[in-house]
Amino acid sequence: MRLLPALAAAALLPLLGGCVIYSNEGGEKVSVNVSDQIAAKTEALEAVRKVDFDGQRLNVVVGSNGCTEASSFEVKIKDGDPAELSLTRRTPDLCRALVREGVTVSWTYAELGLESGAAVRVLNPISL
């Protein structure tokens, strides 16, 4: 009977991911989760228009109705080489100003818990 609690704990272990919330220079709360790829595949990932890394900062252009900001997204990172990153919109943009070119949301590597210059792969689909 001692085996049953150990098996239950082992089955739940992948579901227990770490979550860290940072506050960036603009005072926005940034949520970063370290999770497994299965969770990233089950959630609808935000389509991104452009992704830019400079070794210190991640800049992503996303669609917006005028109220999208970095705190609108949950950032999940799966450790690896390269690390895998996914963005999931947590706060819907209910504003009415269509921003044709989209908006740039940005996080520093430090906010994401990444080392400077670390290789990162973005799992979100691209929308042109």
Side-chain angles (χ1 to χ4, degrees):
M1 282 295 155
R2 291 183 184 169
L3 185 59
L4 187 58
L7 288 175
L12 291 175
L13 190 59
L15 301 175
L16 303 173
C19 179
V20 179
I21 298 178
Y22 296 95
S23 179
N24 63 13
E25 298 101 21
E28 299 174 9
K29 290 183 180 176
V30 177
S31 175
V32 178
N33 281 327
V34 178
S35 65
D36 60 39
Q37 194 169 5
I38 295 169
K41 287 182 179 180
T42 61
E43 297 186 59
L45 299 179
E46 181 78 10
V48 298
R49 296 181 183 183
K50 180 180 176 185
V51 177
D52 177 46
F53 291 96
D54 65 6
Q56 299 295 320
R57 181 172 283 282
L58 164 65
N59 300 300
V60 182
V61 178
V62 294
S64 175
N65 290 333
C67 295
T68 297
E69 52 191 32
S71 61
S72 302
F73 294 92
E74 179 178 13
V75 182
K76 292 184 179 179
I77 299 174
K78 180 182 179 217
D79 288 333
D81 189 23
E84 293 180 338
L85 182 144
S86 62
L87 298 173
T88 305
R89 188 180 289 267
R90 292 292 177 212
T91 307
D93 187 340
L94 301 177
C95 290
R96 296 185 179 195
L98 179 61
V99 183
R100 297 187 96 154
E101 65 279 357
V103 297
T104 301
V105 291
S106 180
W107 298 270
T108 66
Y109 270 41
E111 289 172 327
L112 298 173
L114 297 170
E115 291 185 28
S116 179
V120 180
R121 176 183 6 206
V122 177
L123 301 177
N124 293 63
I126 302 290
S127 171
L128 301 176

